[in-house]
Amino acid sequence: MAKQLDYKTIREIFRRFHEAEPEPKGELEHVNAYTLVVAVALSAQATDAGVNKATRALFEIADTPEKMLALGEEGVIEHIKTIGLYRNKAKNVIKLSRILVERYDGVVPNSRAALESLPGVGRKTANVVLNMWWRYPAQAVDTHIFRLGNRSGIASGKDVVAVERAIEDNVPADYQLHAHHWMILHGRYTCVARKPKCPSCLIRDLCQFEDKTL
């Protein structure tokens, strides 16, 4: 775990991220708040590309909880069986769809607590939905962000909640909205797990990682 960077350095890091990509976007395909919830829930232990490939046809016929319930669990399985843990995920999709219909009139709630009460939806999923759909500055910490935060010193923490808090506490307010997207994309494509691409990294001179690649 790297030493936590100071405010001035973190501001410069995010200034560079912003300059390189002013409006970073999440890579999960969706058409509304409901399909975003489903896509993010399906993305656990799976790649965004793999989820997108599976959900394109699914969301064409089931883009509301009512339509998903009509499709049924077996119908969902047929569409998502290329995704890991697909049987359990199909059960959760049907369960959360039923709860949305019965408790929320088919509308996705914009409360973290309400989102986290849905089957298959944890804190990370709730934060992604709050950020991407309602543009709330929520920080969804996945393995990429956890790795980057601790390697670089942007957000040091022993667990994902600690890293989430560190982002909230240390990233300047004007960069909070897109912070997790900049970090996830940097962690996914540059600060990769095994051989980080330090020579092409735009924050390599500010990063605290001691084992930089040549």
Side-chain angles (χ1 to χ4, degrees):
M1 185 188 300
K3 180 181 177 182
Q4 180 67 50
L5 290 169
D6 59 70
Y7 178 85
K8 183 179 178 181
T9 304
I10 292 175
R11 171 166 280 284
E12 173 58 18
I13 285 172
F14 282 92
R15 185 198 67 77
R16 294 183 191 181
F17 284 158
H18 177 267
E19 185 177 56
E21 182 60 71
E23 285 286 328
K25 304 292 184 185
E27 296 183 324
L28 284 172
E29 296 173 6
H30 58 283
V31 296
N32 53 30
Y34 170 70
T35 54
L36 178 59
V37 170
V38 173
V40 181
L42 293 177
S43 72
Q45 299 180 50
T47 65
D48 287 0
V51 172
N52 290 339
K53 186 175 180 180
T55 57
R56 283 179 194 131
L58 174 63
F59 292 158
E60 283 184 6
I61 60 173
D63 60 355
T64 68
E66 293 85 355
K67 291 177 183 176
M68 196 70 76
L69 288 173
L71 182 61
E73 189 175 319
E74 289 303 316
V76 175
I77 285 174
E78 280 303 305
H79 283 89
I80 69 167
K81 59 187 177 183
T82 55
I83 302 174
L85 307 175
Y86 66 90
R87 289 192 182 278
N88 191 53
K89 289 178 179 180
K91 283 183 181 178
N92 283 336
V93 167
I94 292 300
K95 286 179 181 177
L96 72 84
S97 298
R98 184 168 290 112
I99 290 171
L100 287 174
V101 169
E102 293 176 353
R103 296 185 193 171
Y104 300 102
D105 295 323
V107 178
V108 175
N110 62 352
S111 149
R112 181 187 281 118
L115 287 167
E116 285 190 61
S117 73
L118 299 174
V121 177
R123 186 177 183 88
K124 186 189 82 171
T125 298
N127 281 346
V128 170
V129 175
L130 289 171
N131 182 276
M132 289 181 64
W133 193 257
W134 283 287
R135 296 181 70 80
Y136 181 80
Q139 307 303 332
V141 178
D142 69 351
T143 55
H144 300 299
I145 294 177
F146 185 80
R147 178 176 64 252
L148 173 61
N150 279 297
R151 269 184 181 172
S152 65
I154 293 172
S156 298
K158 293 182 178 180
D159 54 48
V160 293
V161 174
V163 170
E164 180 183 329
R165 293 282 183 260
I167 295 171
E168 292 173 344
D169 291 343
N170 297 293
V171 174
D174 48 330
Y175 293 126
Q176 285 275 336
L177 179 61
H178 294 312
H180 103 270
H181 276 133
W182 280 315
M183 291 182 73
I184 195 172
L185 293 172
H186 195 71
R188 182 177 289 164
Y189 298 112
T190 302
C191 194
V192 295
R194 294 188 178 179
K195 292 185 72 174
K197 301 172 184 178
C198 300
S200 61
C201 174
L202 79 168
I203 63 167
R204 63 188 177 277
D205 57 317
L206 305 175
C207 174
Q208 296 289 300
F209 186 44
E210 293 182 354
D211 299 321
K212 291 185 175 73
T213 55
L214 300 176

